[in-house]
Amino acid sequence: MTERNVSYGFLSSAPPTPCGLATFTAALGSTLTDLGAEVSLVQVLDTPEAPSASRLRVIGQLVASDPSSIERATAALNSCDVAVIQHEYGLYGGRDGEDVLKVIDGLYVPRIAILHTVLTKPTSHQVEVLNAVIEGVDVVVVMTRGAATTLSRLYEVGSTPVEVIPHGARVNSSLYVRRGSARPKILTWGLIGPGKGIEWVIDAMVGLKDLRPRPVYVVAGRTHPKVLAHQGDGYRRSLIQRVATNGVGEMVQFDNSYRDLSSLNSLIESADVVVLPYDSKDQATSGVLVDAIAAGRPVVATEFPHANELLATGAGITVAHKDAAALTRALRRVLGDSKVAADMAREARFLALGLSWRAVAVQFQATADRLLHYSEVHV
Protein backbone atom coordinates (compact mmCIF):
# COMPACT_ATOMS: atom_id res chain seq x y z
CA MET A 1 0.00 0.00 0.00
CA THR A 2 1.19 3.53 -0.70
CA GLU A 3 2.28 5.86 2.09
CA ARG A 4 -0.35 8.53 1.35
CA ASN A 5 -3.10 9.24 3.86
CA VAL A 6 -6.12 6.96 3.59
CA SER A 7 -9.41 8.64 2.71
CA TYR A 8 -12.62 7.40 4.34
CA GLY A 9 -16.14 8.06 3.13
CA PHE A 10 -18.71 7.68 5.92
CA LEU A 11 -22.36 7.02 5.10
CA SER A 12 -24.23 8.21 8.17
CA SER A 13 -26.36 10.82 9.85
CA ALA A 14 -24.35 13.66 11.37
CA PRO A 15 -24.68 16.58 13.76
CA PRO A 16 -26.81 18.56 14.25
CA THR A 17 -29.08 15.51 13.89
CA PRO A 18 -29.64 14.49 17.53
CA CYS A 19 -28.96 10.75 17.54
CA GLY A 20 -26.30 8.32 18.70
CA LEU A 21 -25.23 7.43 15.16
CA ALA A 22 -24.51 11.06 14.36
CA THR A 23 -22.48 11.46 17.54
CA PHE A 24 -20.56 8.24 16.86
CA THR A 25 -19.69 9.29 13.30
CA ALA A 26 -18.57 12.75 14.34
CA ALA A 27 -16.33 11.40 17.11
CA LEU A 28 -14.77 8.55 15.12
CA GLY A 29 -14.34 10.67 12.00
CA SER A 30 -12.72 13.51 13.93
CA THR A 31 -10.33 11.14 15.67
CA LEU A 32 -9.31 9.50 12.39
CA THR A 33 -8.68 13.01 11.03
CA ASP A 34 -6.46 13.76 14.02
CA LEU A 35 -4.52 10.59 13.19
CA GLY A 36 -3.84 11.86 9.67
CA ALA A 37 -6.67 10.35 7.64
CA GLU A 38 -8.91 12.21 5.21
CA VAL A 39 -12.52 11.73 6.32
CA SER A 40 -15.56 12.78 4.30
CA LEU A 41 -19.26 12.34 4.91
CA VAL A 42 -22.22 11.33 2.81
CA GLN A 43 -25.01 12.59 5.04
CA VAL A 44 -28.16 10.45 5.46
CA LEU A 45 -31.34 12.53 5.68
CA ASP A 46 -35.11 12.04 5.65
CA THR A 47 -35.61 15.19 3.57
CA PRO A 48 -33.21 17.59 1.82
CA GLU A 49 -31.58 20.16 4.07
CA ALA A 50 -28.46 22.29 4.33
CA PRO A 51 -25.19 20.36 4.67
CA SER A 52 -24.04 19.41 8.17
CA ALA A 53 -21.94 21.90 10.10
CA SER A 54 -19.82 18.98 11.27
CA ARG A 55 -16.03 19.05 11.23
CA LEU A 56 -16.21 16.35 8.56
CA ARG A 57 -16.32 17.46 4.92
CA VAL A 58 -19.74 16.72 3.42
CA ILE A 59 -19.36 15.30 -0.09
CA GLY A 60 -22.92 14.11 -0.69
CA GLN A 61 -26.34 13.36 0.70
CA LEU A 62 -28.53 10.26 0.70
CA VAL A 63 -32.11 11.50 1.05
CA ALA A 64 -34.83 8.96 1.83
CA SER A 65 -37.46 11.01 -0.03
CA ASP A 66 -35.27 11.38 -3.13
CA PRO A 67 -34.43 8.10 -4.94
CA SER A 68 -32.18 9.99 -7.37
CA SER A 69 -29.80 10.73 -4.49
CA ILE A 70 -28.77 7.06 -4.32
CA GLU A 71 -26.60 7.22 -7.43
CA ARG A 72 -24.96 10.49 -6.35
CA ALA A 73 -24.28 9.16 -2.83
CA THR A 74 -22.72 6.01 -4.25
CA ALA A 75 -20.46 7.99 -6.57
CA ALA A 76 -19.32 10.19 -3.68
CA LEU A 77 -18.37 7.17 -1.58
CA ASN A 78 -16.51 5.63 -4.53
CA SER A 79 -14.31 8.73 -4.64
CA CYS A 80 -12.75 7.66 -1.31
CA ASP A 81 -10.35 4.79 -0.56
CA VAL A 82 -12.69 3.08 1.92
CA ALA A 83 -16.46 3.33 2.37
CA VAL A 84 -17.75 3.05 5.94
CA ILE A 85 -21.46 2.28 6.15
CA GLN A 86 -23.16 2.90 9.47
CA HIS A 87 -26.04 0.45 9.69
CA GLU A 88 -29.21 0.93 11.67
CA TYR A 89 -32.58 -0.26 10.33
CA GLY A 90 -34.28 3.08 10.95
CA LEU A 91 -31.56 5.19 9.35
CA TYR A 92 -32.29 4.52 5.68
CA GLY A 93 -35.36 4.67 3.48
CA GLY A 94 -37.41 1.68 2.39
CA ARG A 95 -38.77 -1.18 4.44
CA ASP A 96 -36.35 -1.87 7.31
CA GLY A 97 -33.90 0.53 5.70
CA GLU A 98 -33.43 -1.62 2.61
CA ASP A 99 -32.50 1.38 0.44
CA VAL A 100 -28.94 1.14 1.77
CA LEU A 101 -28.53 -2.04 -0.29
CA LYS A 102 -28.79 -0.01 -3.49
CA VAL A 103 -25.82 2.07 -2.35
CA ILE A 104 -23.78 -0.96 -1.31
CA ASP A 105 -24.46 -2.67 -4.64
CA GLY A 106 -22.89 0.27 -6.48
CA LEU A 107 -19.68 0.44 -4.43
CA TYR A 108 -16.41 -0.86 -5.84
CA VAL A 109 -14.04 0.47 -3.15
CA PRO A 110 -13.41 -1.60 0.00
CA ARG A 111 -16.49 -1.51 2.24
CA ILE A 112 -16.80 -1.69 6.04
CA ALA A 113 -20.25 -1.98 7.62
CA ILE A 114 -20.61 -0.97 11.28
CA LEU A 115 -23.66 -2.68 12.75
CA HIS A 116 -25.22 -0.64 15.54
CA THR A 117 -28.12 -3.06 16.06
CA VAL A 118 -28.02 -6.85 15.91
CA LEU A 119 -31.51 -8.04 16.84
CA THR A 120 -31.96 -11.29 18.74
CA LYS A 121 -35.58 -11.58 17.57
CA PRO A 122 -35.56 -10.12 14.06
CA THR A 123 -38.37 -10.41 11.55
CA SER A 124 -37.69 -12.47 8.44
CA HIS A 125 -37.33 -9.28 6.40
CA GLN A 126 -34.89 -7.77 8.88
CA VAL A 127 -32.79 -10.91 8.57
CA GLU A 128 -32.98 -10.66 4.79
CA VAL A 129 -31.83 -7.02 4.80
CA LEU A 130 -28.94 -7.57 7.21
CA ASN A 131 -27.81 -10.71 5.39
CA ALA A 132 -27.65 -8.67 2.18
CA VAL A 133 -25.62 -5.95 3.94
CA ILE A 134 -23.18 -8.57 5.24
CA GLU A 135 -22.83 -10.19 1.83
CA GLY A 136 -22.28 -6.84 0.13
CA VAL A 137 -19.35 -5.60 2.23
CA ASP A 138 -15.78 -6.72 2.86
CA VAL A 139 -15.78 -6.52 6.68
CA VAL A 140 -18.52 -6.29 9.29
CA VAL A 141 -17.79 -4.51 12.58
CA VAL A 142 -19.84 -5.09 15.72
CA MET A 143 -19.17 -3.52 19.09
CA THR A 144 -19.54 -6.43 21.50
CA ARG A 145 -18.72 -10.13 21.59
CA GLY A 146 -22.39 -10.82 22.27
CA ALA A 147 -23.38 -9.11 19.02
CA ALA A 148 -20.82 -11.20 17.14
CA THR A 149 -22.29 -14.37 18.66
CA THR A 150 -25.83 -13.34 17.74
CA LEU A 151 -24.71 -12.51 14.22
CA SER A 152 -23.18 -15.94 13.68
CA ARG A 153 -26.18 -17.70 15.26
CA LEU A 154 -29.09 -15.97 13.52
CA TYR A 155 -27.70 -14.46 10.33
CA GLU A 156 -25.75 -15.65 7.27
CA VAL A 157 -22.24 -14.36 7.78
CA GLY A 158 -20.72 -16.58 5.11
CA SER A 159 -17.11 -15.69 4.33
CA THR A 160 -17.38 -12.04 5.44
CA PRO A 161 -15.00 -11.36 8.34
CA VAL A 162 -16.60 -10.11 11.56
CA GLU A 163 -14.49 -7.88 13.81
CA VAL A 164 -15.32 -6.67 17.32
CA ILE A 165 -14.31 -3.04 17.85
CA PRO A 166 -15.86 -1.34 20.89
CA HIS A 167 -17.89 1.83 20.87
CA GLY A 168 -15.54 4.70 21.68
CA ALA A 169 -15.84 7.41 24.31
CA ARG A 170 -14.11 10.49 25.64
CA VAL A 171 -12.18 9.08 28.59
CA ASN A 172 -12.34 11.23 31.70
CA SER A 173 -9.20 11.69 33.78
CA SER A 174 -10.98 12.84 36.97
CA LEU A 175 -11.40 10.48 39.92
CA TYR A 176 -14.75 9.36 41.28
CA VAL A 177 -15.30 11.12 44.60
CA ARG A 178 -18.47 10.94 46.71
CA ARG A 179 -19.42 14.53 47.46
CA GLY A 180 -19.63 14.45 51.26
CA SER A 181 -22.95 15.75 52.57
CA ALA A 182 -24.31 16.69 49.13
CA ARG A 183 -27.38 14.87 47.89
CA PRO A 184 -26.34 11.80 45.87
CA LYS A 185 -27.13 12.24 42.18
CA ILE A 186 -28.61 9.39 40.11
CA LEU A 187 -28.42 10.18 36.39
CA THR A 188 -30.10 9.01 33.21
CA TRP A 189 -29.40 10.93 30.01
CA GLY A 190 -30.10 10.67 26.30
CA LEU A 191 -33.02 11.19 23.96
CA ILE A 192 -36.28 10.40 25.77
CA GLY A 193 -39.05 8.15 24.51
CA PRO A 194 -41.04 5.00 25.25
CA GLY A 195 -38.80 2.03 26.02
CA LYS A 196 -36.24 4.03 27.99
CA GLY A 197 -37.65 2.56 31.22
CA ILE A 198 -37.43 5.81 33.17
CA GLU A 199 -40.78 5.09 34.82
CA TRP A 200 -39.24 2.13 36.67
CA VAL A 201 -36.56 4.34 38.24
CA ILE A 202 -39.24 6.83 39.30
CA ASP A 203 -41.03 3.94 41.02
CA ALA A 204 -37.73 2.82 42.55
CA MET A 205 -37.18 6.24 44.13
CA VAL A 206 -40.08 5.57 46.53
CA GLY A 207 -37.94 2.91 48.20
CA LEU A 208 -35.06 5.37 48.69
CA LYS A 209 -36.99 8.01 50.65
CA ASP A 210 -35.38 6.93 53.92
CA LEU A 211 -31.82 7.66 52.74
CA ARG A 212 -30.17 10.74 54.23
CA PRO A 213 -29.45 12.91 52.45
CA ARG A 214 -32.16 11.90 50.01
CA PRO A 215 -30.85 11.16 46.52
CA VAL A 216 -32.04 13.10 43.50
CA TYR A 217 -32.75 11.43 40.15
CA VAL A 218 -31.89 13.65 37.17
CA VAL A 219 -33.43 12.78 33.81
CA ALA A 220 -31.46 14.78 31.26
CA GLY A 221 -32.41 14.91 27.60
CA ARG A 222 -34.94 16.10 25.09
CA THR A 223 -37.72 13.97 23.67
CA HIS A 224 -36.49 12.03 20.63
CA PRO A 225 -37.43 14.12 17.57
CA LYS A 226 -39.03 11.17 15.76
CA VAL A 227 -41.08 10.33 18.87
CA LEU A 228 -42.11 13.98 19.16
CA ALA A 229 -43.10 14.12 15.49
CA HIS A 230 -45.20 10.94 15.49
CA GLN A 231 -46.40 10.54 19.10
CA GLY A 232 -46.02 13.95 20.70
CA ASP A 233 -44.67 14.41 24.22
CA GLY A 234 -47.02 11.98 25.93
CA TYR A 235 -44.23 9.83 27.37
CA ARG A 236 -42.60 12.76 29.18
CA ARG A 237 -46.00 13.88 30.49
CA SER A 238 -46.65 10.37 31.78
CA LEU A 239 -43.34 10.45 33.65
CA ILE A 240 -44.17 13.79 35.26
CA GLN A 241 -47.54 12.37 36.34
CA ARG A 242 -45.83 9.27 37.73
CA VAL A 243 -43.55 11.46 39.85
CA ALA A 244 -46.60 13.18 41.33
CA THR A 245 -48.46 9.92 41.91
CA ASN A 246 -45.46 8.43 43.73
CA GLY A 247 -44.93 11.53 45.84
CA VAL A 248 -41.27 11.88 44.82
CA GLY A 249 -41.39 15.35 43.33
CA GLU A 250 -38.55 16.49 45.56
CA MET A 251 -36.40 13.56 44.39
CA VAL A 252 -36.79 13.75 40.59
CA GLN A 253 -35.67 16.50 38.24
CA PHE A 254 -36.24 16.75 34.48
CA ASP A 255 -33.65 18.64 32.47
CA ASN A 256 -34.61 18.88 28.81
CA SER A 257 -32.13 21.62 27.92
CA TYR A 258 -29.68 21.19 25.05
CA ARG A 259 -26.17 20.36 26.24
CA ASP A 260 -22.99 20.62 24.22
CA LEU A 261 -20.28 18.01 24.72
CA SER A 262 -18.49 19.93 27.46
CA SER A 263 -21.68 20.53 29.43
CA LEU A 264 -22.74 16.89 29.06
CA ASN A 265 -19.37 15.66 30.29
CA SER A 266 -19.63 17.91 33.34
CA LEU A 267 -23.09 16.52 34.06
CA ILE A 268 -21.86 12.90 33.83
CA GLU A 269 -18.92 13.67 36.11
CA SER A 270 -21.32 15.10 38.71
CA ALA A 271 -23.25 11.81 38.98
CA ASP A 272 -22.77 9.34 41.81
CA VAL A 273 -24.36 6.56 39.79
CA VAL A 274 -25.65 6.29 36.22
CA VAL A 275 -28.78 4.21 35.65
CA LEU A 276 -29.77 2.69 32.31
CA PRO A 277 -33.23 1.19 32.86
CA TYR A 278 -33.95 0.31 29.22
CA ASP A 279 -36.88 -1.99 28.46
CA SER A 280 -35.22 -3.54 25.40
CA LYS A 281 -33.65 -6.96 25.81
CA ASP A 282 -31.97 -6.64 22.39
CA GLN A 283 -29.73 -3.60 22.82
CA ALA A 284 -26.37 -4.80 21.51
CA THR A 285 -24.67 -1.41 21.85
CA SER A 286 -25.23 1.58 24.12
CA GLY A 287 -23.16 4.72 23.68
CA VAL A 288 -24.54 6.04 26.98
CA LEU A 289 -23.21 2.97 28.78
CA VAL A 290 -19.77 3.41 27.24
CA ASP A 291 -19.72 7.11 28.15
CA ALA A 292 -20.64 6.28 31.76
CA ILE A 293 -17.82 3.75 32.01
CA ALA A 294 -15.38 6.12 30.34
CA ALA A 295 -16.27 8.73 32.96
CA GLY A 296 -15.54 6.23 35.73
CA ARG A 297 -19.10 6.21 37.07
CA PRO A 298 -20.72 3.22 38.80
CA VAL A 299 -23.59 1.91 36.66
CA VAL A 300 -26.92 0.24 37.36
CA ALA A 301 -28.53 -1.16 34.20
CA THR A 302 -31.14 -3.61 33.07
CA GLU A 303 -29.92 -6.88 31.62
CA PHE A 304 -29.54 -5.90 27.98
CA PRO A 305 -26.67 -7.60 26.11
CA HIS A 306 -24.14 -4.75 26.14
CA ALA A 307 -24.65 -4.14 29.86
CA ASN A 308 -24.29 -7.83 30.68
CA GLU A 309 -20.99 -7.94 28.80
CA LEU A 310 -19.41 -4.64 29.82
CA LEU A 311 -20.42 -4.78 33.49
CA ALA A 312 -19.53 -8.44 34.03
CA THR A 313 -16.21 -7.63 35.72
CA GLY A 314 -17.72 -5.39 38.38
CA ALA A 315 -18.11 -1.86 37.01
CA GLY A 316 -21.83 -2.00 37.71
CA ILE A 317 -24.90 -4.02 38.58
CA THR A 318 -27.44 -5.48 36.16
CA VAL A 319 -31.07 -6.07 37.15
CA ALA A 320 -34.17 -7.55 35.57
CA HIS A 321 -36.18 -5.43 33.16
CA LYS A 322 -39.18 -3.45 34.43
CA ASP A 323 -38.38 -4.33 38.05
CA ALA A 324 -38.55 -1.26 40.27
CA ALA A 325 -37.80 -3.24 43.44
CA ALA A 326 -34.58 -4.61 41.90
CA LEU A 327 -33.56 -1.10 40.88
CA THR A 328 -34.17 0.12 44.43
CA ARG A 329 -31.95 -2.62 45.86
CA ALA A 330 -29.16 -1.96 43.39
CA LEU A 331 -29.23 1.82 43.85
CA ARG A 332 -29.31 1.43 47.62
CA ARG A 333 -26.25 -0.81 47.45
CA VAL A 334 -24.25 1.72 45.40
CA LEU A 335 -25.38 4.79 47.35
CA GLY A 336 -25.22 3.14 50.75
CA ASP A 337 -21.77 1.55 50.59
CA SER A 338 -18.90 3.83 49.61
CA LYS A 339 -16.53 0.87 49.16
CA VAL A 340 -18.88 -0.81 46.68
CA ALA A 341 -19.17 2.44 44.71
CA ALA A 342 -15.41 3.03 44.76
CA ASP A 343 -14.68 -0.52 43.59
CA MET A 344 -17.13 -0.11 40.69
CA ALA A 345 -15.58 3.22 39.72
CA ARG A 346 -12.09 1.71 39.83
CA GLU A 347 -13.13 -1.13 37.50
CA ALA A 348 -14.84 1.37 35.18
CA ARG A 349 -11.64 3.39 34.91
CA PHE A 350 -9.70 0.23 34.06
CA LEU A 351 -12.18 -0.70 31.32
CA ALA A 352 -12.08 2.86 29.99
CA LEU A 353 -8.46 2.45 28.90
CA GLY A 354 -9.56 0.43 25.88
CA LEU A 355 -12.57 2.61 25.06
CA SER A 356 -10.93 5.91 24.12
CA TRP A 357 -11.80 7.18 20.65
CA ARG A 358 -8.11 7.10 19.78
CA ALA A 359 -7.83 3.40 20.68
CA VAL A 360 -10.97 2.63 18.68
CA ALA A 361 -9.85 4.70 15.67
CA VAL A 362 -6.51 2.88 15.58
CA GLN A 363 -8.38 -0.43 15.29
CA PHE A 364 -10.45 0.93 12.40
CA GLN A 365 -7.24 2.12 10.72
CA ALA A 366 -5.77 -1.37 10.99
CA THR A 367 -8.91 -2.88 9.45
CA ALA A 368 -8.86 -0.39 6.57
CA ASP A 369 -5.14 -0.96 5.96
CA ARG A 370 -5.71 -4.72 5.67
CA LEU A 371 -8.52 -4.20 3.17
CA LEU A 372 -6.49 -1.79 1.07
CA HIS A 373 -3.44 -4.05 1.10
CA TYR A 374 -5.60 -7.01 0.02
CA SER A 375 -7.22 -5.00 -2.77
CA GLU A 376 -3.84 -3.81 -4.09
CA VAL A 377 -2.39 -7.33 -4.05
CA HIS A 378 -5.40 -8.70 -5.92
CA VAL A 379 -5.74 -5.95 -8.54
Short mmCIF file of all heavy atoms in Angstrom, two decimals, residues 163-196:
data_model
loop_
_atom_site.label_atom_id
_atom_site.label_comp_id
_atom_site.label_asym_id
_atom_site.label_seq_id
_atom_site.Cartn_x
_atom_site.Cartn_y
_atom_site.Cartn_z
N GLU A 163 -15.44 -8.39 12.82
CA GLU A 163 -14.49 -7.88 13.81
C GLU A 163 -15.25 -7.20 14.94
O GLU A 163 -16.27 -6.55 14.70
CB GLU A 163 -13.52 -6.89 13.16
CG GLU A 163 -12.65 -7.53 12.08
CD GLU A 163 -11.56 -6.58 11.60
OE1 GLU A 163 -11.40 -5.50 12.20
OE2 GLU A 163 -10.87 -6.94 10.62
N VAL A 164 -14.74 -7.34 16.15
CA VAL A 164 -15.32 -6.67 17.32
C VAL A 164 -14.44 -5.47 17.67
O VAL A 164 -13.29 -5.64 18.08
CB VAL A 164 -15.44 -7.62 18.52
CG1 VAL A 164 -16.02 -6.88 19.73
CG2 VAL A 164 -16.31 -8.83 18.18
N ILE A 165 -14.99 -4.28 17.49
CA ILE A 165 -14.31 -3.04 17.85
C ILE A 165 -15.27 -2.26 18.74
O ILE A 165 -16.39 -1.97 18.32
CB ILE A 165 -13.93 -2.19 16.63
CG1 ILE A 165 -13.01 -2.98 15.68
CG2 ILE A 165 -13.25 -0.89 17.06
CD1 ILE A 165 -12.64 -2.24 14.40
N PRO A 166 -14.90 -1.95 19.96
CA PRO A 166 -15.86 -1.34 20.89
C PRO A 166 -16.30 0.05 20.48
O PRO A 166 -15.62 0.73 19.70
CB PRO A 166 -15.10 -1.30 22.22
CG PRO A 166 -13.65 -1.30 21.83
CD PRO A 166 -13.57 -2.14 20.58
N HIS A 167 -17.43 0.45 21.00
CA HIS A 167 -17.89 1.83 20.87
C HIS A 167 -16.92 2.72 21.63
O HIS A 167 -16.51 2.42 22.74
CB HIS A 167 -19.29 1.95 21.48
CG HIS A 167 -20.00 3.23 21.17
ND1 HIS A 167 -19.55 4.47 21.58
CD2 HIS A 167 -21.16 3.47 20.49
CE1 HIS A 167 -20.39 5.40 21.17
NE2 HIS A 167 -21.37 4.83 20.50
N GLY A 168 -16.50 3.82 21.04
CA GLY A 168 -15.54 4.70 21.68
C GLY A 168 -16.19 5.70 22.63
O GLY A 168 -17.41 5.84 22.68
N ALA A 169 -15.35 6.40 23.37
CA ALA A 169 -15.84 7.41 24.31
C ALA A 169 -14.71 8.39 24.62
O ALA A 169 -13.53 8.07 24.45
CB ALA A 169 -16.34 6.77 25.59
N ARG A 170 -15.09 9.54 25.10
CA ARG A 170 -14.11 10.49 25.64
C ARG A 170 -13.79 10.02 27.06
O ARG A 170 -14.65 10.01 27.93
CB ARG A 170 -14.69 11.91 25.68
CG ARG A 170 -13.81 12.92 26.41
CD ARG A 170 -14.55 14.23 26.59
NE ARG A 170 -13.77 15.16 27.41
CZ ARG A 170 -13.82 15.22 28.73
NH1 ARG A 170 -14.58 14.35 29.41
NH2 ARG A 170 -13.11 16.11 29.40
N VAL A 171 -12.56 9.63 27.29
CA VAL A 171 -12.18 9.08 28.59
C VAL A 171 -11.86 10.23 29.55
O VAL A 171 -11.08 11.13 29.23
CB VAL A 171 -10.97 8.13 28.46
CG1 VAL A 171 -10.52 7.65 29.82
CG2 VAL A 171 -11.34 6.95 27.57
N ASN A 172 -12.49 10.18 30.70
CA ASN A 172 -12.34 11.23 31.70
C ASN A 172 -11.18 10.92 32.63
O ASN A 172 -11.03 9.78 33.08
CB ASN A 172 -13.65 11.33 32.50
CG ASN A 172 -13.57 12.32 33.64
OD1 ASN A 172 -12.74 13.22 33.61
ND2 ASN A 172 -14.41 12.16 34.63
N SER A 173 -10.36 11.91 32.93
CA SER A 173 -9.20 11.69 33.78
C SER A 173 -9.49 11.97 35.26
O SER A 173 -8.66 11.71 36.11
CB SER A 173 -8.04 12.59 33.33
OG SER A 173 -8.43 13.96 33.38
N SER A 174 -10.69 12.50 35.58
CA SER A 174 -10.98 12.84 36.97
C SER A 174 -11.36 11.59 37.76
O SER A 174 -11.91 10.63 37.22
CB SER A 174 -12.11 13.86 37.05
OG SER A 174 -13.33 13.30 36.61
N LEU A 175 -11.08 11.61 39.05
CA LEU A 175 -11.40 10.48 39.92
C LEU A 175 -12.84 10.58 40.40
O LEU A 175 -13.41 11.66 40.52
CB LEU A 175 -10.45 10.47 41.12
CG LEU A 175 -8.98 10.19 40.84
CD1 LEU A 175 -8.17 10.37 42.11
CD2 LEU A 175 -8.80 8.79 40.26
N TYR A 176 -13.41 9.41 40.70
CA TYR A 176 -14.75 9.36 41.28
C TYR A 176 -14.63 9.67 42.76
O TYR A 176 -13.90 9.01 43.50
CB TYR A 176 -15.34 7.95 41.09
CG TYR A 176 -16.65 7.72 41.80
CD1 TYR A 176 -17.85 8.09 41.20
CD2 TYR A 176 -16.70 7.13 43.06
CE1 TYR A 176 -19.06 7.88 41.84
CE2 TYR A 176 -17.91 6.90 43.70
CZ TYR A 176 -19.08 7.28 43.09
OH TYR A 176 -20.28 7.06 43.72
N VAL A 177 -15.33 10.73 43.20
CA VAL A 177 -15.30 11.12 44.60
C VAL A 177 -16.73 11.38 45.07
O VAL A 177 -17.45 12.19 44.45
CB VAL A 177 -14.45 12.40 44.80
CG1 VAL A 177 -14.46 12.80 46.28
CG2 VAL A 177 -13.02 12.18 44.33
N ARG A 178 -17.15 10.68 46.13
CA ARG A 178 -18.47 10.94 46.71
C ARG A 178 -18.44 12.32 47.36
O ARG A 178 -17.52 12.65 48.10
CB ARG A 178 -18.81 9.86 47.74
CG ARG A 178 -20.18 9.99 48.38
CD ARG A 178 -21.32 9.87 47.39
NE ARG A 178 -21.37 8.59 46.71
CZ ARG A 178 -21.92 7.48 47.22
NH1 ARG A 178 -22.41 7.47 48.41
NH2 ARG A 178 -21.93 6.36 46.52
N ARG A 179 -19.46 13.12 47.11
CA ARG A 179 -19.42 14.53 47.46
C ARG A 179 -19.93 14.81 48.88
O ARG A 179 -20.83 15.60 49.11
CB ARG A 179 -20.24 15.33 46.45
CG ARG A 179 -19.71 15.24 45.03
CD ARG A 179 -20.74 15.73 44.03
NE ARG A 179 -21.94 14.89 44.06
CZ ARG A 179 -23.17 15.33 43.81
NH1 ARG A 179 -23.37 16.60 43.54
NH2 ARG A 179 -24.20 14.51 43.85
N GLY A 180 -19.36 14.16 49.85
CA GLY A 180 -19.63 14.45 51.26
C GLY A 180 -21.10 14.48 51.60
O GLY A 180 -21.83 13.51 51.41
N SER A 181 -21.56 15.63 52.09
CA SER A 181 -22.95 15.75 52.57
C SER A 181 -23.93 16.14 51.46
O SER A 181 -25.12 16.28 51.71
CB SER A 181 -23.01 16.81 53.68
OG SER A 181 -22.59 18.07 53.18
N ALA A 182 -23.42 16.32 50.24
CA ALA A 182 -24.31 16.69 49.13
C ALA A 182 -25.27 15.55 48.82
O ALA A 182 -24.99 14.37 49.07
CB ALA A 182 -23.49 17.04 47.90
N ARG A 183 -26.41 15.90 48.25
CA ARG A 183 -27.38 14.87 47.89
C ARG A 183 -26.81 13.99 46.78
O ARG A 183 -26.33 14.51 45.75
CB ARG A 183 -28.68 15.51 47.42
CG ARG A 183 -29.42 16.28 48.49
CD ARG A 183 -30.70 16.87 47.93
NE ARG A 183 -31.67 15.83 47.58
CZ ARG A 183 -32.85 16.09 47.01
NH1 ARG A 183 -33.18 17.33 46.70
NH2 ARG A 183 -33.66 15.10 46.72
N PRO A 184 -26.83 12.68 46.94
CA PRO A 184 -26.34 11.80 45.87
C PRO A 184 -27.15 12.01 44.59
O PRO A 184 -28.37 12.16 44.64
CB PRO A 184 -26.55 10.40 46.44
CG PRO A 184 -26.66 10.57 47.91
CD PRO A 184 -27.29 11.92 48.11
N LYS A 185 -26.46 12.02 43.46
CA LYS A 185 -27.13 12.24 42.18
C LYS A 185 -27.16 10.94 41.37
O LYS A 185 -26.13 10.35 41.07
CB LYS A 185 -26.42 13.32 41.37
CG LYS A 185 -27.10 13.63 40.03
CD LYS A 185 -26.33 14.65 39.22
CE LYS A 185 -26.40 16.02 39.84
NZ LYS A 185 -25.74 17.04 38.98
N ILE A 186 -28.37 10.52 41.02
CA ILE A 186 -28.61 9.39 40.11
C ILE A 186 -28.93 10.01 38.75
O ILE A 186 -29.74 10.92 38.65
CB ILE A 186 -29.79 8.54 40.61
CG1 ILE A 186 -29.54 8.01 42.03
CG2 ILE A 186 -30.06 7.38 39.65
CD1 ILE A 186 -30.79 7.46 42.69
N LEU A 187 -28.29 9.52 37.70
CA LEU A 187 -28.42 10.18 36.39
C LEU A 187 -28.81 9.21 35.29
O LEU A 187 -28.25 8.12 35.16
CB LEU A 187 -27.08 10.83 36.02
CG LEU A 187 -26.98 11.48 34.63
CD1 LEU A 187 -27.93 12.66 34.50
CD2 LEU A 187 -25.55 11.91 34.33
N THR A 188 -29.80 9.63 34.51
CA THR A 188 -30.10 9.01 33.21
C THR A 188 -30.06 10.14 32.18
O THR A 188 -30.61 11.21 32.42
CB THR A 188 -31.51 8.37 33.21
OG1 THR A 188 -31.53 7.24 34.08
CG2 THR A 188 -31.89 7.91 31.80
N TRP A 189 -29.40 9.90 31.05
CA TRP A 189 -29.40 10.93 30.01
C TRP A 189 -29.55 10.29 28.65
O TRP A 189 -29.35 9.10 28.46
CB TRP A 189 -28.14 11.79 30.08
CG TRP A 189 -26.93 11.24 29.39
CD1 TRP A 189 -26.55 11.44 28.10
CD2 TRP A 189 -25.93 10.38 29.96
NE1 TRP A 189 -25.39 10.77 27.83
CE2 TRP A 189 -24.98 10.13 28.96
CE3 TRP A 189 -25.75 9.82 31.23
CZ2 TRP A 189 -23.87 9.31 29.19
CZ3 TRP A 189 -24.64 9.02 31.45
CH2 TRP A 189 -23.72 8.78 30.44
N GLY A 190 -29.91 11.13 27.68
CA GLY A 190 -30.10 10.67 26.30
C GLY A 190 -31.45 11.12 25.79
O GLY A 190 -32.25 11.72 26.52
N LEU A 191 -31.73 10.85 24.53
CA LEU A 191 -33.02 11.19 23.96
C LEU A 191 -34.11 10.36 24.63
O LEU A 191 -33.95 9.16 24.84
CB LEU A 191 -33.01 10.97 22.45
CG LEU A 191 -32.06 11.89 21.67
CD1 LEU A 191 -32.02 11.48 20.20
CD2 LEU A 191 -32.48 13.34 21.80
N ILE A 192 -35.23 11.01 24.95
CA ILE A 192 -36.28 10.40 25.77
C ILE A 192 -37.41 9.89 24.88
O ILE A 192 -37.83 10.55 23.93
CB ILE A 192 -36.84 11.43 26.77
CG1 ILE A 192 -35.72 12.00 27.64
CG2 ILE A 192 -37.92 10.79 27.65
CD1 ILE A 192 -34.94 10.99 28.41
N GLY A 193 -37.92 8.71 25.22
CA GLY A 193 -39.05 8.15 24.51
C GLY A 193 -39.45 6.82 25.12
O GLY A 193 -38.73 6.28 25.97
N PRO A 194 -40.60 6.29 24.73
CA PRO A 194 -41.04 5.00 25.25
C PRO A 194 -39.97 3.93 25.06
O PRO A 194 -39.30 3.89 24.04
CB PRO A 194 -42.29 4.69 24.41
CG PRO A 194 -42.81 6.03 23.99
CD PRO A 194 -41.57 6.87 23.77
N GLY A 195 -39.82 3.07 26.06
CA GLY A 195 -38.80 2.03 26.02
C GLY A 195 -37.55 2.37 26.79
O GLY A 195 -36.70 1.50 27.03
N LYS A 196 -37.40 3.64 27.21
CA LYS A 196 -36.24 4.03 27.99
C LYS A 196 -36.31 3.51 29.43
O LYS A 196 -35.30 3.47 30.13
CB LYS A 196 -36.08 5.56 28.00
CG LYS A 196 -35.68 6.15 26.67
CD LYS A 196 -34.28 5.70 26.27
CE LYS A 196 -33.83 6.38 24.99
NZ LYS A 196 -32.46 5.99 24.58
#
